[in-house]
Amino acid sequence: MTPIPHPDLSNITVNCAIITVSDTRSAETDTSGLLTKKLLKDAGHSVVAYTVVKDDAAKIVLQMQAFSQREDVDAIIVNGGTGIAPRDTTYDVMESLLDRILPGFGEIFRFLSYQEIGSRAIASRAVAGVYQGKLVFSLPGSSNGVKLAVEKLILPELVHLVTQLRGG
């Protein structure tokens, strides 16, 4: 485990919203969304909203707008639609919406993915940033990708990044 250069002084519960982007999954079959929810809750955070939306740019935008307007949401975690297939629109939506991008997230995610799956990691368009004052992470739809991103990148930095957004 890599040491944290500036440990978080506060141990806050971050309120998260989860969006699964999929044309085939439902709330009952969404293994990646359910895994995200479990990992967040096990780490002491709260999941205050969860939904599955079709891989359609307009629907993703509407859901992002809805969750970003909620005062009880600190972070939005999106999974699915980050590849390059014709129906994969999530990255393009995120690129157009994010007010600030955290390029290190995608870079490190792809590096860690490369260590696990090799050169296929180049197809991932995982991205993170800030949208309307909310921290946003956009992950691949695979459960392995979600587990990697949440455990190795999101959970270690979630409190720190949300505290920064709050001006702390």
Side-chain angles (χ1 to χ4, degrees), residues 1-166:
M1 177 95 183
T2 305
I4 298 173
H6 304 288
D8 299 317
L9 298 177
S10 61
N11 189 13
I12 64 169
T13 298
V14 177
N15 293 326
C16 302
I18 299 170
I19 302 172
T20 293
V21 177
S22 176
D23 290 333
T24 58
R25 295 181 189 172
S26 67
E28 295 77 32
T29 62
D30 177 22
T31 54
S32 295
L34 296 173
L35 177 60
T36 303
K37 189 184 298 189
K38 179 185 182 337
L39 292 171
L40 290 167
K41 287 183 175 183
D42 287 353
H45 300 294
S46 177
V47 176
V48 297
Y50 163 79
T51 191
V52 178
V53 299
K54 296 288 184 201
D55 200 335
D56 173 89
K59 290 182 171 137
I60 298 168
V61 168
L62 286 173
Q63 193 59 64
M64 286 292 294
Q65 289 171 339
F67 281 171
S68 70
Q69 291 170 7
R70 289 181 54 159
E71 289 187 26
D72 65 339
V73 171
D74 300 308
I76 303 169
I77 301 173
V78 182
N79 75 84
T82 61
I84 60 168
R87 290 287 300 159
D88 289 334
T89 60
T90 305
Y91 176 82
D92 305 299
V93 169
M94 293 302 142
E95 185 180 49
S96 72
L97 288 181
L98 293 176
D99 304 314
R100 290 181 160 181
I101 293 178
L102 297 171
F105 175 81
E107 293 162 0
I108 296 171
F109 176 79
R110 283 180 285 280
F111 172 74
L112 294 172
S113 293
Y114 177 77
Q115 293 177 329
E116 288 191 5
I117 64 170
S119 59
R120 291 259 167 111
I122 68 170
S124 172
R125 298 190 299 160
V127 66
V130 178
Y131 173 62
Q132 296 186 356
K134 309 294 181 183
L135 186 60
V136 176
F137 296 97
S138 181
L139 318 175
S142 76
S143 293
N144 287 342
V146 164
K147 184 176 191 304
L148 176 70
V150 174
E151 287 182 345
K152 300 283 187 185
L153 298 173
I154 295 173
L155 288 177
E157 296 302 325
L158 189 59
V159 169
H160 175 71
L161 293 170
V162 167
T163 301
Q164 281 192 321
L165 278 177
R166 292 178 178 172

